[in-house]
Amino acid sequence: MVLLYFMDGVKYDMMKQYMPFLASINSKPLMSDFGYSCACHATMYTSRYIEEHGTWFIWKRGDHSPYKWLNYVPGLKYINFLPLKLVLGKITRKLSHNSSYSGVSCLVNLPLKYWSLFEPCDDVMWNDPEWKKDIPNLFTVVKKNNIPHHVIALHRGTQADDAFKEESQVDYKNDEFVYFFIGYTDNIMHAYGENGKEAQEYLTKVDGFIKQTYEKAKKEHEDVTVIAYSDHGHIDIEEPMIDINDYFKPAGHKVNQYIHLIESNYARFWFRNEQEKKDVTAVVKKMQDDGLGFVLDEKYQEQYKLHVNPKEHGELIFYLAAPHEFTNTIWGFGHSVKSGHGFEPTLPKHYGIFCSNKPLAKNRDFAYLVDVLPSVMMQLNISRDGYTLRGANIVNTDVAD
């Protein structure tokens, strides 16, 4: 029996400190993707790189925006009044058929005139048969191979105790594979940060749950493999929060002049002409000169396998380096977040976790997201022949297969 526990945003050093069961078994730090959780999920379920599966940010530029209807109400898109935006976001969510984990959010600080240019990267949940149906993934592979299994708590609106409550669905006697989705670990890190007692105590609670379910499985199966992992770590945010307009205004511009998305620690731009490109490039260069971050240029795209469509994800992408984040983003005003992610994968504070009760490959210093699917397949005796997998099995082996 294979028990796969996904925990969103659990960092390696916090696991070692506050999760005694996981700390007692074999573990490696996990080096994440350069991006947010949506990219991480696509990578770990498909064992493909971002440039292959195409999901990087939650929002991308596209022709199928759920906000297109705003264009048919005369003058509406030129009104920028926060309460109106919140109402329009709520209406659009009700009208939309999007059933993905992130759904359709309200693009809080983006001018309404740009809303209809953008669409969510995902339309359905990761375990929906329509999700990336041209690429085999964890859920389709398990179904195709007729593995008796349950998927626990993988749904929208994740609450703190979902996995704990829904664990009763598991058939420990007959299931050969169980996937537990524990998403609230990310929420609580954002809210309280690394030093928050609430976050520390919740990780310990999750650890106890993993140990408890493992012991239940052992009563029914002689051989039980535990794989517990996260998609990335978290880095506590430090002042100052950066208002990007503090860099546009001295140059005589406003960010709202340009088609853009300001996310937690990325600023993405699309240009209508060469003058716009020149204006924005000059502002971004000043931010770089001040040591705030860097542009994800060809060097970084090559290093992190980010050769994605610039028309979708951004013609110029500025990364705001840890431990800072932008304020006045598409998500809100950014003043209450204690901890963040989406930072450089090579930062130790951003390391996630990969743990197992079985030996882990000795020739690996790190686990990677692409290793998740091959490792699960190997433990379930599913051949990787015929599948394109970028990762390796690293569980119950001396050397990564």
Side-chain angles (χ1 to χ4, degrees):
M1 186 179 198
V2 176
L3 303 177
L4 182 67
Y5 303 86
F6 167 74
M7 295 158 284
D8 199 333
V10 175
K11 62 193 299 182
Y12 188 75
D13 52 1
M14 287 192 75
M15 178 274 291
K16 285 292 190 179
Q17 199 167 357
Y18 301 109
M19 306 183 83
F21 173 68
L22 292 185
S24 72
I25 62 177
N26 302 302
S27 66
K28 289 185 184 293
L30 180 142
M31 195 173 292
S32 184
D33 277 350
F34 206 142
Y36 297 123
S37 291
C38 55
C40 297
H41 280 272
T43 299
M44 66 199 191
Y45 296 139
T46 66
S47 191
R48 301 283 189 95
Y49 300 126
I50 290 172
E51 61 191 20
E52 295 176 290
H53 60 64
T55 296
W56 191 8
F57 297 90
I58 291 176
W59 286 93
K60 65 180 181 180
R61 191 165 179 181
D63 297 325
H64 305 289
S65 174
Y67 287 111
K68 262 193 171 180
W69 69 273
L70 298 179
N71 293 335
Y72 300 103
V73 182
L76 181 61
K77 65 182 181 180
Y78 299 107
I79 303 173
N80 281 296
F81 181 51
L82 182 58
L84 174 64
K85 289 181 175 180
L86 298 176
V87 170
L88 295 176
K90 188 174 183 179
I91 291 172
T92 304
R93 281 192 294 277
K94 288 190 174 182
L95 294 174
S96 173
H97 298 294
N98 186 296
S99 59
S100 68
Y101 186 78
S102 299
V104 177
S105 57
C106 174
L107 303 172
V108 177
N109 283 296
L110 184 71
L112 275 173
K113 63 182 178 181
Y114 299 136
W115 283 22
S116 63
L117 300 176
F118 298 102
E119 63 183 59
C121 270
D122 288 332
D123 295 322
V124 295
M125 286 294 294
W126 302 297
N127 58 336
D128 188 295
E130 291 299 306
W131 183 77
K132 299 196 180 300
K133 57 185 178 181
D134 57 330
I135 305 177
N137 63 69
L138 172 68
F139 307 103
T140 59
V141 169
V142 169
K143 287 180 181 178
K144 181 180 178 180
N145 286 273
N146 299 312
I147 305 293
H149 71 283
H150 273 91
V151 175
I152 303 300
L154 183 60
H155 52 68
R156 295 177 67 174
T158 302
Q159 301 297 314
D161 295 333
D162 282 351
F164 310 148
K165 293 176 181 177
E166 296 175 34
E167 179 263 339
S168 60
Q169 299 172 17
V170 177
D171 182 350
Y172 284 100
K173 185 174 183 179
N174 297 305
D175 281 341
E176 294 179 24
F177 173 65
V178 184
Y179 171 90
F180 294 94
F181 181 84
I182 305 172
Y184 198 73
T185 42
D186 187 68
N187 301 57
I188 205 160
M189 284 298 298
H190 281 305
Y192 298 103
E194 183 173 1
N195 296 312
K197 184 179 179 182
E198 295 87 347
Q200 297 166 359
E201 290 178 346
Y202 188 71
L203 291 185
T204 302
K205 182 177 181 180
V206 169
D207 183 75
F209 171 74
I210 294 173
K211 182 180 180 182
Q212 176 188 12
T213 50
Y214 170 52
E215 290 174 347
K216 283 185 180 181
K218 285 200 299 181
K219 291 179 180 178
E220 302 291 344
H221 296 268
E222 184 176 337
D223 184 18
V224 178
T225 298
V226 168
I227 300 175
Y229 73 104
S230 65
D231 49 349
H232 53 72
H234 261 260
I235 296 176
D236 280 5
I237 304 303
E238 297 179 11
E239 295 292 338
M241 299 287 283
I242 306 298
D243 184 342
I244 201 166
N245 263 320
D246 289 343
Y247 281 84
F248 274 88
K249 287 178 182 178
H253 310 299
K254 293 181 180 179
V255 73
N256 287 347
Q257 294 173 228
Y258 310 95
I259 298 174
H260 69 280
L261 290 175
I262 307 299
E263 285 133 324
S264 300
N265 54 320
Y266 296 87
R268 298 191 277 155
F269 297 91
W270 292 259
F271 306 118
R272 288 165 288 205
N273 53 58
E274 285 300 314
Q275 186 60 50
E276 285 193 350
K277 184 176 182 179
K278 182 179 178 181
D279 292 344
V280 173
T281 300
V283 172
V284 168
K285 185 177 185 306
K286 180 66 169 65
M287 296 172 70
Q288 289 180 276
D289 291 344
D290 286 352
L292 292 181
F294 50 82
V295 171
L296 289 170
D297 58 15
E298 175 62 29
K299 178 186 74 172
Y300 287 104
Q301 291 176 43
E302 185 69 28
Q303 180 179 352
Y304 294 109
K305 298 178 173 58
L306 299 176
H307 288 104
V308 292
N309 187 345
K311 292 182 179 179
E312 291 184 342
H313 290 288
E315 296 172 61
L316 187 155
I317 302 173
F318 176 78
Y319 159 74
L320 178 64
H324 306 294
E325 288 197 351
F326 287 115
T327 187
N328 301 332
T329 70
I330 60 171
W331 305 112
F333 298 92
H335 299 301
S336 60
V337 175
K338 298 291 193 301
S339 184
H341 56 79
F343 294 109
E344 293 174 80
T346 55
L347 296 175
K349 284 183 175 291
H350 195 248
Y351 293 163
I353 67 171
F354 192 101
C355 309
S356 181
N357 62 322
K358 301 291 178 67
L360 297 177
K362 293 179 180 178
N363 66 331
R364 280 287 198 85
D365 293 327
F366 295 95
Y368 298 92
L369 291 170
V370 289
D371 297 328
V372 174
L373 178 55
S375 295
V376 171
M377 289 173 63
M378 181 64 73
Q379 309 321 305
L380 292 173
N381 296 313
I382 300 173
S383 171
R384 62 185 290 161
D385 292 345
Y387 293 102
T388 300
L389 306 174
R390 303 307 182 193
N393 168 52
I394 61 171
V395 177
N396 204 19
T397 179
D398 286 334
V399 179
D401 298 330

